């Protein structure tokens, strides 16, 4: 597929009372035409600032942004396109529905005041089509402030789409909705964007939204893009500790690589609990300090600690706590002083104080670098 | 969980209704506010229908005061003057105030902080002194702006004259600009910037966005500001008093003042005019509330508090806006302050030209501080300091208690308390002054002529502002903090003292300083209530100015401005420290 949006070496800094904040640091990614691309990260990680740089609402300090052959920002050429000259639609977190207009006028505004001129009939036609798309038909005359949260959200979406933009930008659009409505809108958003085939950039701090909606997810931390790829890859093969911790949860075992390894190869890591076998996300030299990340659902618990459990990655310990969560048992196992989390099938008979064995496959454990990315989520506030 | 909370809440409510402490306090508060606010205004209304004035014996019911007033052609001249004065000065104030708010909040103009400082420092200069300074600047012979014509072209008189409606409108407009600026900048800030960004993202340019989005959304707010300001200009006294009265250009406030200070005073005329002014004020505030209700309907959930993008001015634009900001500082503070200081240095006023330098001395300061004039001046200073210390403390304490009832309690009658506390705001200052004059003569004659009458009158004047501040702060304090106090077994008063008051402290301090500044520079009420023993500095300045002792007026005025600047700086420093703490 063709690349629709290119972001290259984007930098943005803010001067605040507390000094300079590096909101976006050297962010580079491509979005394919028609793809649903998500920027995921905790608040203050720079994801919204990145989106606003793409929208033109912030002027980046450095970097290039290209949308379908049109250069929007190029620091080397000193080029910057103001937001109203960029063919994009945007849905804001607050929806930004103009309170002095009714539903129809809100959607008609981009057509009436925008660069292209439309006849009255065509404006009407397009507005009604956009409203029908988001199931707001029949509400044209309603004053905008009288809409419910969910309706305002749909209205904002209709307004962003009415001009047939080349890209749709969504800045945490679901965060102001209650849980049930959020799920409903999430499904609708997915259907709508895929049926329109529009290139979509979505910003969220909710990992579930990111995993369920996206073709590609980019994880950001402290202004940096720490990993990007399909949701499954992000979840199953986190490239660093932050990505592993922010999406889902993980156990970490620190240690040193026993043998040099190629990207995707299997190596051993000498940890406090012996040598663990695991998959390397990138090539590593012998002796490199790393951590082994294992998702709790990939930890197999052998109740009763049968001594005959052999093979790789076997640990033994004492069960410290068992929490019943309905579909799973959340167990904490003390392995030589380290607490290891394991999600166990609720049918398993396990209780506090049991001595058990734990194991996990080498394909289910990942080597991530240690100490590079510390979760300094507060810093970029 | 939820069930439990409601039960606790209901118990609290029942508890509040029957808590004897609460009943006693609310009763006392109601009586106090009624005395401070309702009684004075009712007396004005009462005497407007009586044949005899306050302090006189007898008298019967009559409508002749109104008949006389409305048969008098002077009244219509007065109303028309008041109308043009209000409209003119509001237009001047709007153009400057909104323009400045836009420049400073929405563009990348240089001197942004300096612009803010000049707005704030303007509030340190009492209106009457501002007017006196402009009288000197615009004086046909010696005024600075007329000097090119008189000194160089050797004309008899320059073209500018302070004693005209135009000059009054211009000077009042400059004063209003600062207030309008502060109110409008609040509007700019409370507007969700994504409303404008959404327009940009609809491929709509800057100026169309300003016209179709920003302006329509701001309109109800600006309209509200206009009505609010108009309510106060109807009763404004200082500037027409200094500039218009000597040339017999009168507005409502100056006529009311003259009617009460004449011999014998014409209370029939004064009270009937005051009633008219009061009604105009109430109508204005009523409209204001309607308008702000519409504005609240426009209020939207704001986003993440991004600062809106600033419009980038070109080099020429930046130059022009910097020049405008400097010009504004010169007109609102630099020039008036310079002229006053100059006037305080020479015994008989002359234009600030080199040939006048030989007369420069600090004699006026010496005269009022250590010389024969010290009794009068130091008495004024003592009285002013007393006001600055006592009025804000009592006002804010009363405000805090009233706010608790208005915001927190479910006691009956809290709406009446809130209305009573807000009422002084709807009433022009000159009417409040007249009301307290009547009370002084009629009810509180033992303290008539003492500074305590002014203290009480000022509390009633500033209680509206005080309660607005504390109401806002009280809303911020979570009810459960207080309920936790009650659940720990503390009675209402202990909870109020040990939980509410400390949490309110930042707003109380801010309100305290605001009231201190305004009480220290207030003139209208103090002038109506003045006697030989309760004169405060602002009234002293007035008296010396109209007595022709300009150097004494100016030197006392300069000292008063310095005192208020000190308070303003204190406000800033404390405000910043408190906001950093939280």
């Amino acid at each position: 597929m063709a690349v629709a949006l290119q972001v290259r070496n984007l930098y943005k800094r803010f001067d605040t009372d507390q000094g300079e904040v590096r909101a976006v640091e050297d962010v580079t990614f491509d979005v394919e035409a028609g793809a649903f691309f998500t920027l995921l990260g905790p608040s203050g990680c720079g994801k919204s600032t990145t989106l606003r740089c793409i929208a033109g609402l912030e002027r980046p300090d450095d970097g290039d942004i290209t949308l379908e052959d049109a250069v929007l920002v190029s620091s080397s050429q000193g080029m910057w396109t103001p937001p109203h000259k960029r063919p994009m639609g945007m849905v804001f977190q607050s929806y930004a529905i103009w309170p002095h207009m009714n539903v129809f006028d809100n959607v008609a505004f981009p057509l009436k005041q925008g660069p292209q001129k439309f006849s009255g009939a065509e404006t009407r036609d397009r507005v009604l089509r956009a409203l029908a798309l988001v199931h707001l038909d029949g509400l044209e005359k309603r004053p905008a402030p009288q809409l419910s949260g969910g309706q305002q959200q749909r209205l904002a979406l209709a307004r962003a789409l009415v001009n047939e933009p080349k890209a749709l930008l969504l800045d945490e659009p679901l965060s102001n909705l209650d849980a049930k409505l959020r799920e409903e809108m999430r499904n609708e958003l997915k259907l709508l964007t895929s049926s329109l085939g529009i290139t979509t950039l979505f910003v969220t701090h909710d990992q579930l939204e990111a995993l369920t909606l996206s073709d590609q997810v980019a994880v950001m931390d402290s202004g940096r893009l720490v990993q990007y790829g399909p949701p499954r890859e992000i979840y199953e093969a986190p490239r660093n500790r932050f990505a592993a911790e922010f999406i889902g949860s993980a156990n970490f075992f620190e240690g040193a690589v026993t043998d040099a390894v190629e990207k995707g190869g299997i190596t051993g890591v000498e940890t406090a609990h012996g040598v663990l076998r695991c998959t390397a996300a990138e090539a590593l030299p012998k002796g490199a300090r790393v951590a082994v990340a294992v998702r709790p659902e990939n930890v197999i618990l052998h109740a009763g600690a049968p001594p005959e459990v052999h093979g790789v990655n076997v640990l033994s310990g004492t069960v410290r706590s068992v929490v019943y969560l309905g579909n799973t048992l959340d167990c904490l196992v003390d392995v030589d002083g380290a607490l290891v989390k394991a999600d166990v099938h609720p049918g398993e008979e396990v209780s506090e104080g049991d001595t058990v064995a734990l194991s996990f496959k080498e394909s289910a454990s990942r080597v991530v670098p240690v100490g590079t990315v510390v979760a300094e989520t507060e810093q970029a506030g | 969980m939820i069930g439990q909370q409601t039960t606790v809440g209901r118990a609290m409510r029942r508890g509040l209704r029957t808590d004897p402490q609460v009943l006693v306090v609310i009763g006392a508060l109601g009586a106090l506010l009624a005395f401070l606010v309702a009684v004075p205004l009712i007396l004005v209304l009462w005497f407007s229908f009586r044949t005899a004035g306050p302090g006189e014996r007898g008298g019967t019911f009559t409508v002749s005061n109104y008949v006389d007033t409305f048969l008098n052609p002077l009244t219509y001249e007065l109303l028309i003057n008041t109308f043009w004065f209000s409209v003119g000065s509001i237009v001047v104030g709007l153009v400057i105030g909104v323009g400045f708010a836009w420049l400073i909040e929405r563009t990348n103009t240089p001197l942004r902080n300096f612009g803010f400082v000049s707005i704030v420092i303007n509030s340190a200069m009492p209106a009457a002194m501002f007017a006196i300074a402009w009288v000197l600047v615009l004086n046909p012979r010696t005024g600075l702006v007329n000097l090119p014509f008189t000194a160089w072209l050797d004309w008899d008189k320059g073209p500018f004259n302070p004693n005209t409606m135009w000059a009054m409108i211009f000077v009042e407009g400059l004063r209003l600009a600062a207030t309008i600026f502060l109110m409008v900048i609040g509007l700019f800030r409370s507007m969700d910037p994504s409303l404008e960004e959404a327009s940009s993202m609809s491929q709509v340019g800057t100026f169309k966005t300003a016209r179709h989005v920003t302006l329509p959304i701001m309109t109800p707010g600006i309209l509200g500001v206009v009505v609010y300001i108009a309510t106060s200009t109807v009763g404004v006294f200082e500037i027409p008093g200094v500039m218009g009265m000597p040339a017999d250009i009168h507005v409502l406030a100056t006529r009311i003042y003259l009617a009460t200070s004449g011999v014998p005073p014409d209370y029939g005329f004064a009270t009937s005019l005051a009633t008219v002014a009061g009604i105009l004020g109430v109508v204005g505030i009523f409209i204001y509330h309607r308008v702000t209700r519409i504005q609240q309907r426009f209020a939207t959930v704001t986003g993440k508090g991004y600062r809106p993008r600033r419009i980038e001015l070109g080099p020429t634009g930046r130059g022009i806006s910097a020049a405008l900001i400097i010009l504004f500082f010169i007109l609102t503070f630099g020039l008036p302050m310079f002229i006053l200081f100059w006037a305080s240095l020479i015994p008989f006023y002359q234009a600030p030209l080199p040939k006048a330098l030989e007369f420069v001395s600090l004699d006026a300061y010496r005269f009022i501080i250590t010389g024969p004039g010290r009794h009068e001046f130091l008495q004024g200073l003592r009285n002013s300091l007393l006001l600055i210390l006592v009025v804000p403390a009592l006002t804010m304490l009363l405000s805090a208690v009233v706010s608790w009832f208005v915001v927190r309690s479910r006691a009956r009658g809290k709406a009446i308390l809130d209305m009573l506390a807000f009422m002084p705001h709807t009433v022009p200052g000159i009417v409040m002054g007249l009301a307290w004059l009547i009370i002084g003569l009629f009810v509180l004659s033992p303290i008539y002529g003492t500074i305590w009458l002014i203290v009480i009158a000022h509390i009633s004047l500033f209680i509206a502002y005080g309660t607005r501040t504390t109401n806002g702060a009280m809303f911020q304090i979570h009810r459960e903090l207080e309920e936790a106090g009650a659940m720990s077994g503390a009675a209402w008063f202990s909870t109020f003292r040990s939980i509410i008051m400390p949490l309110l402290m930042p707003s109380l301090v801010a309100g305290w300083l605001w009231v201190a500044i305004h009480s220290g520079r207030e003139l209208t009420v103090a002038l109506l209530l003045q006697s030989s023993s309760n004169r405060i500095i602002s009234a002293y300045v007035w008296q010396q100015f109209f007595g022709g002792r300009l150097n004494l007026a100016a030197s006392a005025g300069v000292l008063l401005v310095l005192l208020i600047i000190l308070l303003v700086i204190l406000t800033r420093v404390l405000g910043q420290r408190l906001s950093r703490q939280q």
Side-chain angles (χ1 to χ4, degrees), chain B residues 135 138 140 160-168 242-247 249:
Chain B
V135 165
L138 294 172
F160 300 104
N161 184 345
N163 305 117
T164 60
M165 182 56 99
W166 289 111
M168 280 160 59
V242 171
M243 300 175 73
M245 229 161 47
I249 303 173

Side-chain angles (χ1 to χ4, degrees), chain B residues 312-329:
Chain B
E312 305 208 353
L313 302 174
T316 332
R318 282 170 63 87
I320 293 172
S321 73
L324 285 176
I325 289 173
I326 292 170
L327 181 68
F328 180 80
F329 174 77

Side-chain angles (χ1 to χ4, degrees), chain B residues 12 56 76 82 125 139 153 164 173 191 217 253 282 308-309 318 338 345 356 442 446 453 462 525-527 542 552:
Chain B
M12 273 292 288
E56 295 168 18
Y76 297 97
T82 307
M125 188 174 279
N139 185 295
L153 296 179
T164 60
M191 197 182 100
I217 291 173
V282 170
R309 279 180 312 129
R318 282 170 63 87
F338 166 74
L345 295 179
F442 191 66
L453 185 61
F462 299 128
V525 171
L527 201 59
W542 173 275
L552 300 188

Side-chain angles (χ1 to χ4, degrees), chain A residues 217-239:
Chain A
V217 177
V219 183
M220 288 190 71
D221 175 40
S222 307
R224 288 178 183 279
L225 203 157
V226 294
Q227 184 174 5
Y228 88 96
R232 195 173 179 125
E233 184 186 310
I234 298 274
Y235 188 82
E236 290 178 356
R239 295 262 293 280

Side-chain angles (χ1 to χ4, degrees), chain A residues 30-365:
Chain A
D30 289 336
V31 182
E32 285 175 356
F36 197 110
F37 189 97
T38 298
L39 289 165
L40 173 69
S43 61
C45 72
K47 57 191 191 302
S48 279
T49 308
T50 305
L51 189 80
R52 291 169 63 82
C53 285
I54 294 168
L57 298 171
E58 300 288 352
R59 198 193 272 255
D61 298 323
D62 204 353
D64 295 351
I65 299 173
T66 313
L67 178 67
E68 296 188 2
D69 307 330
V71 178
L72 300 179
V73 179
S74 166
S75 49
S76 56
Q77 296 169 43
M79 260 192 65
W80 185 76
T81 313
H84 64 272
K85 301 244 167 86
R86 302 185 185 195
M88 300 174 173
M90 182 160 173
V91 175
F92 292 82
Q93 188 180 22
S94 67
Y95 313 140
I97 299 300
W98 297 307
H100 59 298
M101 301 178 188
N102 64 18
V103 168
F104 183 92
D105 291 338
N106 261 285
V107 182
F109 187 83
L111 302 174
K112 285 183 179 161
Q113 307 297 342
Q116 278 174 286
K117 294 291 164 237
F118 296 94
S119 69
E122 199 180 348
T123 302
R124 193 172 166 73
D125 194 46
R126 280 173 180 252
V127 170
L128 293 184
R129 249 187 296 148
L131 286 175
L133 207 58
V134 297
H135 311 299
L136 278 183
D137 24 353
L139 293 179
E140 300 88 56
K141 298 249 163 55
R142 176 132 351 149
Q146 285 178 20
L147 296 181
S148 70
Q151 287 170 326
Q152 291 200 7
Q153 152 102 83
R154 289 158 196 271
L155 177 55
L157 199 55
R159 183 179 66 189
L161 290 170
V162 73
N163 239 352
E164 295 174 0
K166 291 183 178 163
L168 176 64
L169 310 181
L170 305 167
D171 188 5
E172 304 219 21
L174 303 177
S175 63
N176 282 340
L177 300 177
D178 61 59
K180 184 137 175 48
L181 204 54
R182 195 181 310 166
E183 195 181 326
E184 206 179 297
M185 278 309 296
R186 200 169 64 211
N187 295 334
E188 247 180 78
L189 206 57
K190 175 90 178 165
L191 277 173
L192 188 66
T193 50
S194 65
S195 71
L196 291 175
I198 187 170
T199 309
T200 307
L201 235 86
F202 180 74
V203 159
T204 185
H205 62 263
D206 185 321
Q207 45 154 321
L208 189 67
E209 282 173 16
L211 294 178
T212 53
L213 283 169
S214 323
D215 299 317
Q216 295 269 316
V217 177
V219 183
M220 288 190 71
D221 175 40
S222 307
R224 288 178 183 279
L225 203 157
V226 294
Q227 184 174 5
Y228 88 96
R232 195 173 179 125
E233 184 186 310
I234 298 274
Y235 188 82
E236 290 178 356
R239 295 262 293 280
N240 58 48
R241 196 168 176 147
F242 178 81
E245 262 177 336
F246 188 71
I247 302 157
S249 59
N251 297 301
F252 296 98
F253 306 96
E254 289 191 14
V257 175
T258 53
D259 307 289
V261 64
E262 292 300 301
K263 184 178 174 182
I266 302 223
T267 183
V269 174
E270 179 76 53
T271 70
H273 313 291
V275 175
L276 299 177
R277 306 283 301 170
C278 47
T279 314
E282 48 206 289
L284 289 165
K286 182 172 191 275
R289 294 294 299 172
V290 293
V292 177
V294 189
R295 300 259 181 225
E297 67 267 26
N298 292 331
V299 177
I300 304 158
L301 186 142
H302 308 271
E308 65 274 20
V309 176
H310 291 301
V312 293
N313 303 342
V314 179
L315 307 169
S316 68
T318 315
V319 178
R320 270 293 150 79
S321 74
V322 181
V323 177
Y324 178 67
L325 294 177
N327 58 348
T328 171
L329 292 177
D330 187 350
C331 300
L332 271 182
V333 180
D334 185 336
V335 180
D336 303 332
L339 285 178
V340 177
K341 213 175 142 203
D343 290 351
V344 178
H345 189 275
E348 200 80 43
E349 294 208 356
V350 55
S351 49
E352 269 175 51
D354 290 0
T355 305
V356 295
L358 301 174
S359 71
F360 45 86
K361 294 181 186 163
E362 50 199 24
S363 60
S365 56

